[in-house]
Amino acid sequence: MNTPEVLTNFRLYYDGAKDMMGVVDVTVPDIEPLNASLKGAGILGEISVPILGHIGAMAMTINFRTISQDVNLFNMPVPHVVDLRGAMQVQDTASGVRKVMPVRISGQGSTKKTSFGKFAVGEGNDSSVELELTRFNLMIDGMESILIDKLNNLYTVNGVDCLSDVNKALGL
């Protein structure tokens, strides 16, 4: 068994580019199911139930140290594809040996907001971009962990198609 310890480092790539984008930190989206309220005969009060495959807004925030052409790239009215590639340090619990496990998050979406930050002498200006993702993919150690594609009815977790019955009912 591997015990995850720390994200050693990561790089952000834009739309398949070979060069990383600036010096950044990234807030990855939360996965929050949409819910419906269920109430009526036989139920004491109300129950909030998740709607199969429906996920709330998935926002990804990319914080840049300074203003650059990389920040401005997100102002183009096109789908933006970003790829985070990380090296996670893990420890093998049996041997105590530390090793690196690749972690990758990719997403596609549209720009919700661009902030060019502030100007202050001797400081970075903290520019940022917020994306609304329609596609989110998490890979851990080369294996797909989560795939959500809102526009193509895809929702898999650890290889399990969570929408197979829904898609079958829809004739997909």
Coordinates of all heavy atoms in Angstrom, one line a residue, residues 86-141:
G86 N 1.3 16.4 -12.2 CA 2.0 16.5 -11.0 C 2.8 15.3 -10.6 O 2.5 14.2 -11.1
A87 N 3.7 15.4 -9.7 CA 4.5 14.3 -9.1 C 4.2 14.2 -7.6 O 4.5 15.1 -6.9 CB 6.0 14.5 -9.3
M88 N 3.4 13.2 -7.3 CA 3.1 13.0 -5.9 C 4.0 12.1 -5.2 O 4.3 10.9 -5.7 CB 1.6 12.5 -5.8 CG 1.2 12.3 -4.4 SD -0.6 11.9 -4.2 CE -0.9 10.6 -5.3
Q89 N 4.6 12.5 -4.1 CA 5.5 11.6 -3.3 C 4.6 10.7 -2.4 O 3.7 11.1 -1.7 CB 6.4 12.5 -2.4 CG 7.3 11.7 -1.5 CD 8.2 12.6 -0.7 OE1 8.9 13.5 -1.3 NE2 8.1 12.5 0.6
V90 N 4.9 9.4 -2.6 CA 4.2 8.4 -1.8 C 5.2 7.5 -1.1 O 6.4 7.4 -1.5 CB 3.2 7.5 -2.6 CG1 2.2 8.4 -3.3 CG2 4.0 6.7 -3.6
Q91 N 4.8 6.9 0.0 CA 5.7 6.0 0.7 C 5.0 4.6 0.7 O 3.9 4.4 1.1 CB 5.9 6.4 2.2 CG 6.9 5.5 2.9 CD 7.1 6.0 4.3 OE1 7.3 5.2 5.2 NE2 7.2 7.3 4.6
D92 N 5.8 3.6 0.3 CA 5.4 2.2 0.4 C 5.4 1.8 1.8 O 6.4 1.8 2.5 CB 6.4 1.3 -0.4 CG 5.9 -0.1 -0.5 OD1 5.7 -0.7 0.6 OD2 5.9 -0.7 -1.6
T93 N 4.2 1.4 2.4 CA 4.1 1.2 3.8 C 4.8 -0.1 4.2 O 5.2 -0.2 5.4 CB 2.6 1.1 4.2 OG1 2.0 0.1 3.4 CG2 1.9 2.4 4.1
A94 N 5.0 -1.0 3.3 CA 5.7 -2.3 3.6 C 7.2 -2.1 3.7 O 7.9 -2.5 4.7 CB 5.4 -3.4 2.6
S95 N 7.8 -1.4 2.7 CA 9.3 -1.2 2.7 C 9.8 0.1 3.2 O 10.9 0.3 3.5 CB 9.7 -1.4 1.2 OG 9.3 -0.2 0.4
G96 N 8.9 1.1 3.3 CA 9.3 2.4 3.8 C 9.9 3.3 2.7 O 10.3 4.4 2.9
V97 N 10.0 2.7 1.5 CA 10.7 3.4 0.3 C 9.7 4.5 -0.2 O 8.5 4.2 -0.4 CB 11.0 2.4 -0.8 CG1 11.5 3.1 -2.0 CG2 12.1 1.4 -0.3
R98 N 10.2 5.6 -0.5 CA 9.5 6.7 -1.1 C 9.7 6.7 -2.6 O 10.7 6.4 -3.1 CB 9.9 8.1 -0.5 CG 9.5 8.3 0.9 CD 9.8 9.7 1.3 NE 9.1 9.9 2.6 CZ 9.6 9.6 3.8 NH1 10.8 9.0 3.9 NH2 8.9 9.9 4.9
K99 N 8.6 6.9 -3.3 CA 8.6 6.9 -4.7 C 7.7 8.0 -5.2 O 6.9 8.6 -4.5 CB 8.3 5.6 -5.3 CG 6.9 5.0 -4.9 CD 6.8 3.6 -5.4 CE 5.4 3.1 -5.1 NZ 5.1 1.7 -5.6
V100 N 7.7 8.2 -6.5 CA 6.9 9.2 -7.2 C 5.7 8.6 -7.9 O 5.9 7.6 -8.7 CB 7.7 10.1 -8.1 CG1 6.8 11.1 -8.9 CG2 8.8 10.9 -7.3
M101 N 4.5 9.1 -7.7 CA 3.4 8.6 -8.5 C 2.8 9.8 -9.3 O 2.6 10.9 -8.7 CB 2.3 8.1 -7.5 CG 1.0 7.6 -8.1 SD -0.2 7.1 -6.9 CE 0.7 5.7 -6.1
P102 N 2.6 9.6 -10.6 CA 2.1 10.7 -11.4 C 0.6 10.9 -11.1 O -0.2 10.0 -10.9 CB 2.3 10.2 -12.8 CG 2.4 8.7 -12.7 CD 2.9 8.4 -11.4
V103 N 0.2 12.2 -11.0 CA -1.1 12.7 -10.9 C -1.4 13.7 -12.0 O -0.6 14.6 -12.2 CB -1.4 13.3 -9.5 CG1 -2.8 13.8 -9.4 CG2 -1.0 12.3 -8.4
R104 N -2.5 13.5 -12.6 CA -2.8 14.4 -13.8 C -4.3 14.8 -13.7 O -5.2 14.0 -13.5 CB -2.5 13.7 -15.1 CG -2.7 14.5 -16.3 CD -2.2 13.7 -17.5 NE -2.3 14.5 -18.7 CZ -1.9 14.1 -19.9 NH1 -1.4 12.9 -20.0 NH2 -2.1 14.9 -20.9
I105 N -4.5 16.1 -13.8 CA -5.9 16.7 -13.9 C -5.9 17.5 -15.2 O -5.1 18.3 -15.5 CB -6.2 17.6 -12.7 CG1 -6.3 16.8 -11.4 CG2 -7.5 18.3 -13.0 CD1 -6.6 17.5 -10.2
S106 N -6.9 17.1 -16.0 CA -7.1 17.9 -17.2 C -8.6 18.4 -17.2 O -9.5 17.8 -16.6 CB -6.8 17.1 -18.5 OG -7.6 16.0 -18.6
G107 N -8.8 19.5 -17.9 CA -10.1 20.1 -18.0 C -10.3 20.9 -19.2 O -9.3 21.4 -19.8
Q108 N -11.6 21.1 -19.6 CA -11.9 21.9 -20.7 C -13.1 22.8 -20.3 O -14.0 22.3 -19.7 CB -12.3 21.1 -21.9 CG -12.7 21.9 -23.1 CD -13.0 21.1 -24.3 OE1 -12.3 20.1 -24.6 NE2 -14.0 21.5 -25.1
G109 N -13.0 24.1 -20.7 CA -14.1 25.0 -20.3 C -13.9 26.4 -20.9 O -13.0 26.6 -21.7
S110 N -14.7 27.2 -20.4 CA -14.7 28.6 -20.8 C -14.3 29.5 -19.7 O -14.5 29.2 -18.5 CB -16.2 29.0 -21.3 OG -16.6 28.2 -22.3
T111 N -13.8 30.7 -20.1 CA -13.4 31.7 -19.1 C -14.6 32.3 -18.5 O -15.4 32.9 -19.2 CB -12.5 32.7 -19.7 OG1 -11.3 32.1 -20.3 CG2 -12.0 33.7 -18.7
K112 N -14.6 32.3 -17.1 CA -15.7 33.0 -16.4 C -15.2 34.4 -16.0 O -16.0 35.4 -16.0 CB -16.0 32.3 -15.1 CG -16.9 31.1 -15.3 CD -17.1 30.3 -14.0 CE -18.0 31.1 -13.0 NZ -18.3 30.3 -11.8
K113 N -13.9 34.5 -15.7 CA -13.4 35.8 -15.2 C -11.9 35.8 -15.3 O -11.2 34.8 -15.1 CB -13.8 36.0 -13.7 CG -13.3 37.2 -13.1 CD -13.9 37.4 -11.7 CE -13.1 36.6 -10.7 NZ -13.5 36.9 -9.3
T114 N -11.3 37.0 -15.7 CA -9.9 37.2 -15.7 C -9.6 38.4 -14.8 O -10.3 39.4 -15.0 CB -9.4 37.5 -17.1 OG1 -9.7 36.4 -18.0 CG2 -7.9 37.7 -17.2
S115 N -8.7 38.3 -13.9 CA -8.3 39.4 -13.1 C -6.8 39.7 -13.3 O -6.0 38.7 -13.3 CB -8.5 39.0 -11.6 OG -8.0 40.0 -10.8
F116 N -6.5 40.9 -13.6 CA -5.1 41.3 -13.8 C -4.4 41.7 -12.5 O -3.3 42.2 -12.5 CB -4.9 42.3 -14.9 CG -5.3 41.8 -16.2 CD1 -6.5 42.1 -16.8 CD2 -4.5 40.9 -16.9 CE1 -6.9 41.6 -18.0 CE2 -4.8 40.4 -18.1 CZ -6.0 40.7 -18.7
G117 N -5.1 41.5 -11.4 CA -4.5 41.8 -10.1 C -4.2 43.2 -9.7 O -5.0 44.1 -10.1
K118 N -3.1 43.4 -9.1 CA -2.8 44.8 -8.6 C -1.3 45.1 -9.0 O -0.5 44.2 -9.2 CB -3.0 44.9 -7.1 CG -2.1 44.0 -6.3 CD -2.2 44.1 -4.9 CE -1.2 43.2 -4.3 NZ -1.3 43.0 -2.9
F119 N -1.0 46.3 -8.9 CA 0.4 46.7 -9.1 C 0.9 47.2 -7.8 O 0.4 48.1 -7.2 CB 0.5 47.8 -10.2 CG 0.6 47.3 -11.6 CD1 -0.4 46.5 -12.1 CD2 1.7 47.7 -12.4 CE1 -0.3 46.0 -13.4 CE2 1.8 47.2 -13.7 CZ 0.8 46.4 -14.2
A120 N 2.0 46.6 -7.3 CA 2.7 47.1 -6.1 C 4.2 46.9 -6.3 O 4.6 45.8 -6.8 CB 2.2 46.3 -4.9
V121 N 5.0 47.8 -5.9 CA 6.4 47.8 -6.1 C 7.0 46.6 -5.4 O 6.7 46.3 -4.2 CB 7.1 49.1 -5.6 CG1 8.6 49.0 -5.7 CG2 6.6 50.3 -6.4
G122 N 7.8 45.8 -6.1 CA 8.5 44.7 -5.5 C 7.7 43.5 -5.2 O 8.1 42.6 -4.5
E123 N 6.5 43.4 -5.8 CA 5.6 42.3 -5.5 C 5.1 41.7 -6.8 O 5.0 42.4 -7.8 CB 4.4 42.7 -4.7 CG 4.8 43.2 -3.3 CD 3.6 43.6 -2.5 OE1 2.5 43.2 -2.9 OE2 3.8 44.2 -1.4
G124 N 4.6 40.5 -6.8 CA 3.9 39.9 -7.9 C 2.5 40.6 -7.9 O 2.1 41.2 -6.9
N125 N 1.8 40.5 -9.0 CA 0.5 41.2 -9.1 C -0.7 40.3 -8.9 O -1.8 40.8 -8.9 CB 0.4 42.1 -10.3 CG 0.2 41.3 -11.5 OD1 1.0 40.3 -11.8 ND2 -0.8 41.6 -12.3
D126 N -0.5 39.0 -8.8 CA -1.5 38.1 -8.5 C -2.7 38.1 -9.5 O -3.8 38.3 -9.2 CB -2.1 38.3 -7.1 CG -1.0 38.1 -6.0 OD1 -0.1 37.3 -6.2 OD2 -1.0 38.9 -5.0
S127 N -2.3 37.9 -10.8 CA -3.3 37.7 -11.8 C -4.0 36.4 -11.7 O -3.4 35.5 -11.1 CB -2.7 37.8 -13.2 OG -2.0 39.1 -13.4
S128 N -5.3 36.3 -12.1 CA -5.9 35.0 -12.1 C -6.9 34.8 -13.2 O -7.4 35.8 -13.8 CB -6.6 34.8 -10.7 OG -7.7 35.8 -10.6
V129 N -7.2 33.6 -13.4 CA -8.3 33.2 -14.4 C -9.2 32.2 -13.8 O -8.7 31.3 -13.1 CB -7.6 32.6 -15.7 CG1 -8.6 32.0 -16.6 CG2 -6.7 33.6 -16.4
E130 N -10.5 32.4 -13.9 CA -11.4 31.4 -13.5 C -12.1 30.7 -14.7 O -12.7 31.4 -15.5 CB -12.4 32.0 -12.5 CG -13.4 31.0 -11.9 CD -14.3 31.6 -10.9 OE1 -14.2 32.8 -10.6 OE2 -15.2 30.8 -10.4
L131 N -12.0 29.4 -14.7 CA -12.7 28.7 -15.8 C -13.9 27.9 -15.3 O -13.9 27.4 -14.2 CB -11.7 27.6 -16.4 CG -10.4 28.1 -17.1 CD1 -9.5 27.0 -17.5 CD2 -10.7 29.0 -18.2
E132 N -14.9 27.9 -16.1 CA -16.1 27.0 -15.9 C -15.9 25.7 -16.7 O -15.9 25.8 -18.0 CB -17.4 27.7 -16.3 CG -18.6 26.8 -16.2 CD -18.8 26.2 -14.8 OE1 -18.6 27.0 -13.8 OE2 -19.3 25.1 -14.7
L133 N -15.6 24.6 -16.1 CA -15.3 23.4 -16.8 C -16.5 22.6 -17.2 O -17.4 22.5 -16.4 CB -14.4 22.5 -15.9 CG -13.0 23.0 -15.5 CD1 -12.3 22.0 -14.7 CD2 -12.2 23.5 -16.7
T134 N -16.5 22.1 -18.4 CA -17.5 21.2 -18.9 C -17.0 19.8 -18.9 O -17.7 18.8 -19.1 CB -18.1 21.6 -20.3 OG1 -17.0 21.7 -21.2 CG2 -18.8 22.9 -20.2
R135 N -15.6 19.6 -18.9 CA -15.0 18.3 -18.9 C -13.9 18.3 -17.8 O -13.1 19.3 -17.7 CB -14.4 18.0 -20.2 CG -13.7 16.6 -20.3 CD -13.2 16.4 -21.7 NE -12.5 15.1 -21.7 CZ -13.0 13.9 -22.0 NH1 -14.2 13.8 -22.3 NH2 -12.2 12.9 -22.0
F136 N -13.9 17.3 -17.0 CA -12.9 17.1 -15.9 C -12.4 15.7 -15.9 O -13.2 14.8 -16.0 CB -13.5 17.5 -14.6 CG -12.6 17.2 -13.4 CD1 -11.8 18.2 -13.0 CD2 -12.7 16.1 -12.7 CE1 -10.9 18.0 -11.9 CE2 -11.9 15.8 -11.6 CZ -11.0 16.8 -11.2
N137 N -11.1 15.5 -15.9 CA -10.5 14.2 -15.8 C -9.4 14.1 -14.8 O -8.5 15.0 -14.8 CB -10.0 13.8 -17.2 CG -9.6 12.4 -17.4 OD1 -9.8 11.6 -16.5 ND2 -9.1 12.0 -18.6
L138 N -9.4 13.2 -13.9 CA -8.4 12.9 -12.9 C -7.8 11.6 -13.1 O -8.5 10.6 -13.2 CB -9.0 13.0 -11.5 CG -8.1 12.6 -10.3 CD1 -6.9 13.5 -10.2 CD2 -8.9 12.5 -9.0
M139 N -6.5 11.6 -13.3 CA -5.7 10.3 -13.5 C -4.7 10.2 -12.4 O -4.0 11.1 -12.0 CB -4.9 10.3 -14.8 CG -5.7 10.7 -16.1 SD -6.4 9.3 -16.9 CE -5.0 8.3 -17.4
I140 N -4.7 9.0 -11.7 CA -3.8 8.8 -10.6 C -3.0 7.5 -11.0 O -3.5 6.5 -11.3 CB -4.5 8.5 -9.3 CG1 -5.3 9.8 -8.9 CG2 -3.5 8.2 -8.2 CD1 -6.2 9.6 -7.7
D141 N -1.6 7.7 -11.1 CA -0.7 6.6 -11.4 C -1.1 5.9 -12.7 O -1.1 4.7 -12.9 CB -0.7 5.5 -10.3 CG 0.6 4.7 -10.3 OD1 1.6 5.1 -10.9 OD2 0.6 3.6 -9.7

